[in-house]
């Protein structure tokens, strides 16, 4: 698999363990971007010439592909966005004020990424709703029992990551969705970290909305997806206005195109859509049970290796989907990451856009290693050896 990623030929010595931030791109995705710009570069939904028709047709065919990929009931339920952040903000800004009233409740987990936390917090402030943050487990994972306990008849929105980005913990969304639906609420699922690691069926999941980013699933940056159940999307107002999202515009009023175009104002990221298509095809060609087994092997090897180093504190569990977060007592995570970088090991260190979670774990930051299909046991060995060396460098050998 690694050979399909030109990045590794360009960086032969680099151990890349930051795929939860962004994945590397296989040649097929790079080819798709080039193919669009060289062979099919025309705007969509506008031109009255054959090339523009063909490009529009391909763009809409890719919408169908994404719908099938997520098992959405129809292509109109797929909105192309700039990414997960953009998708979640769209729901919060359009569906939110329409649905949530003063005194209602919006429920999230303390393990959410800021992009699935702040939009809801700000919506609550705007409409006078209660923003409820469910506590996490001792390992920093979303606690389904704690979330369930906080669902009340006033819960209008439950927003959860299916897989969290600090620990890689998998959240049993379906069970919680059933409870929220029973009180008439909706469920918004942040799939930024789940789509790279598992097949997703939005209907089986009970998701009313589902968001993910192209760049974390071997696709390009600047392209993402929002899935929404058709009756919900249909009733929502657009939040961006401009070209191609209208039905009719006069001096005094405007009406909107049907979904999904009413949410895609302006020229979309057409090349990104082509690249996303290639990335999803690439992802679908994988055997998920093999992917899961390999990731489990890497996570287990890394956790086992790090446990041998005195002072290492691990977060999350062994069932994490391709993410291991840790700290080394006495060494700031940023210093550790800088040391690792000098050994050509790229990891992320920081709060991971999850400050509410860091506050609960009682740390300012962690070091996070995250895997994708191109990582190998040799990458794990390099990281473990480098952390052991860092310990000696910063703390001496005692
Ligand atoms: N949610 C989660 C769980 C994430 O890991 C990320 C990316 N770090 C996001 C949302 C935001 O994704 P993007 O930056 O692509 O919009």
């Amino acid at each position: 698999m690694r050979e399909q990623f030109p990045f590794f030929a360009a960086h032969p010595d680099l151990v890349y363990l930051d795929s939860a931030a962004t994945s590397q791109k296989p040649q097929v995705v790079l080819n798709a971007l080039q193919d669009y710009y060289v062979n099919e570069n025309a705007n969509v939904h506008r031109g009255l010439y054959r090339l523009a028709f063909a490009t529009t047709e391909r763009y809409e065919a890719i919408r169908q592909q994404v719908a099938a990929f997520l098992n959405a009931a129809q292509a109109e339920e797929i909105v192309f966005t700039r990414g997960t952040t953009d998708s979640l903000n769209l729901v919060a800004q359009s569906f939110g004020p329409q649905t949530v009233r003063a005194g209602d409740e919006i429920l999230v987990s303390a393990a959410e990424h800021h992009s699935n936390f702040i939009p809801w917090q700000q919506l609550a402030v705007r409409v006078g709703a209660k923003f409820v943050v469910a506590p996490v487990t001792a390992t920093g994972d979303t606690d389904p029992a704690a979330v369930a306990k906080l669902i009340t008849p006033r819960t209008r929105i439950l927003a959860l990551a299916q897989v969290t980005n600090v620990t890689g913990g998998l959240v049993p969304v379906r069970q919680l969705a059933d409870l929220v639906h029973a009180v008439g609420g909706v469920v918004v699922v942040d799939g930024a970290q789940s789509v790279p690691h598992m097949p997703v069926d939005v209907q089986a999941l009970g998701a009313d909305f589902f968001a993910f980013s192209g760049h974390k699933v071997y696709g390009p940056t600047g392209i993402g997806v929002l899935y929404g159940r058709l009756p919900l999307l249909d009733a929502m107002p657009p939040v961006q206005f401009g070209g191609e999202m209208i039905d009719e515009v006069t001096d005094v009023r405007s009406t909107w195109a049907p979904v999904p175009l009413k949410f895609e104002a302006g020229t979309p990221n057409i090349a990104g859509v082509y690249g996303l298509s290639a990335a999803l095809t690439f992802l679908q060609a994988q055997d998920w049970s093999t992917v899961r087994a390999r990731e489990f092997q890497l996570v287990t090897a890394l956790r086992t290796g790090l446990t041998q180093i005195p002072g290492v504190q691990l977060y999350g569990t062994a069932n994490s989907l391709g993410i291991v977060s840790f700290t080394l007592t006495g060494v700031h995570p940023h210093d550790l990451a800088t040391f690792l970088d000098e050994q050509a090991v790229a990891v992320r260190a920081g709060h991971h856009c999850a400050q509410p979670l860091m506050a609960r774990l009682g740390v300012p930051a962690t070091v996070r290693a995250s895997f994708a299909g191109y990582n190998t046991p040799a990458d794990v060995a390099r990281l473990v050896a480098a952390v052991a060396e860092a310990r000696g460098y910063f703390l001496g050998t005692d």
Side-chain angles (χ1 to χ4, degrees), residues 83-391:
T84 306
T85 305
D86 197 29
S87 298
L88 294 168
N89 275 279
L90 169 53
V91 180
Q93 284 166 28
S94 170
F95 178 77
Q98 190 183 45
T99 310
V100 184
R101 303 269 168 267
D104 283 343
E105 292 168 15
I106 304 171
L107 177 58
V108 301
S109 158
E112 296 312 308
H113 186 281
H114 291 164
S115 68
N116 198 32
F117 192 95
I118 310 170
W120 309 116
Q121 178 194 60
Q122 295 304 305
L123 169 63
V125 169
R126 181 170 158 193
V127 304
K130 195 167 151 199
F131 183 57
V132 184
V133 183
V136 291
T137 65
T139 56
D141 290 294
T142 290
D143 181 349
V147 174
K149 240 195 241 167
L150 289 167
I151 297 169
T152 77
R154 302 283 329 237
T155 306
R156 301 270 51 89
I157 293 175
L158 169 64
L160 283 180
Q162 189 180 11
V163 170
T164 60
N165 68 305
V166 175
T167 65
L170 177 64
V171 178
V173 170
R174 178 59 202 235
Q175 275 163 255
L176 298 166
D178 288 345
L179 299 175
V180 171
H181 291 150
V183 297
V186 305
V187 179
V188 182
V189 181
D190 171 351
Q193 297 295 349
S194 60
V195 175
H197 298 283
M198 59 193 285
V200 169
D201 177 333
V202 286
Q203 297 188 70
L205 202 58
D208 297 289
F209 296 99
F210 186 94
F212 74 94
S213 298
H215 72 97
K216 293 188 201 272
V217 295
Y218 307 119
T221 51
I223 184 71
V225 167
L226 172 67
Y227 156 83
R229 282 202 300 110
L230 194 57
L232 301 178
L233 287 180
D234 232 356
M236 282 160 51
V239 288
Q240 287 212 323
F241 304 97
E244 289 309 310
M245 53 73 66
I246 55 95
D247 175 30
E248 196 179 18
V249 180
T250 70
D251 284 4
V252 290
R253 61 187 287 277
S254 302
T255 53
W256 316 130
V259 284
L261 293 187
K262 76 171 166 184
F263 297 116
E264 293 179 9
T267 299
N269 182 356
I270 308 166
V273 168
Y274 276 55
L276 178 67
S277 170
L280 297 187
T281 302
F282 179 82
L283 209 56
Q284 280 172 305
Q286 298 187 119
D287 171 28
W288 283 112
S289 59
T290 310
V291 170
R292 188 76 198 94
R294 285 188 72 256
E295 279 178 359
F296 184 74
Q297 188 196 1
L298 295 173
V299 167
T300 306
L302 179 53
R303 292 182 72 92
T304 306
L306 289 174
T307 307
Q308 315 300 316
I309 304 170
V312 167
Q313 165 79 46
L314 291 170
Y315 304 95
T317 70
N319 291 322
S320 153
L321 275 81
I323 293 178
V324 177
S325 264
F326 63 96
T327 49
L328 175 60
T329 306
V331 181
H332 193 282
H334 289 180
D335 294 336
L336 182 52
T338 304
F339 184 92
L340 297 177
D341 180 47
E342 279 165 16
Q343 317 279 313
V345 176
V347 293
R348 169 102 190 255
H351 54 64
H352 313 294
C353 302
Q355 287 183 353
L357 177 59
M358 296 295 118
R360 280 153 180 93
L361 293 174
V363 291
T366 71
V367 175
R368 180 186 72 182
S370 54
F371 301 117
Y374 36 69
N375 288 116
T376 64
D379 293 337
V380 171
R382 283 267 302 273
L383 172 59
V384 171
V387 174
E389 209 176 314
R391 185 177 184 281

Side-chain angles (χ1 to χ4, degrees), residues 43-49 52-53 56:
N43 211 328
V44 290
H45 293 295
R46 288 157 172 81
L48 293 176
Y49 46 92
F53 284 134
T56 302

Side-chain angles (χ1 to χ4, degrees), residues 22-96:
T22 199
S23 64
Q24 300 305 334
K25 319 304 172 198
Q27 187 65 52
V28 284
V29 168
L30 305 178
N31 291 349
L33 296 174
Q34 169 121 346
D35 178 46
Y36 167 67
Y37 284 123
V38 173
N39 298 314
E40 298 186 22
N41 187 30
N43 211 328
V44 290
H45 293 295
R46 288 157 172 81
L48 293 176
Y49 46 92
R50 277 167 299 165
L51 179 66
F53 284 134
T55 305
T56 302
E57 233 170 68
R58 174 101 177 93
Y59 181 85
E60 290 304 324
I62 295 170
R63 199 189 300 279
Q64 303 249 7
Q65 181 194 2
V66 176
F69 177 79
L70 292 177
N71 193 34
Q74 46 206 314
E76 289 72 19
E77 295 180 320
I78 302 300
V79 180
F80 289 121
T81 65
R82 289 187 295 133
T84 306
T85 305
D86 197 29
S87 298
L88 294 168
N89 275 279
L90 169 53
V91 180
Q93 284 166 28
S94 170
F95 178 77

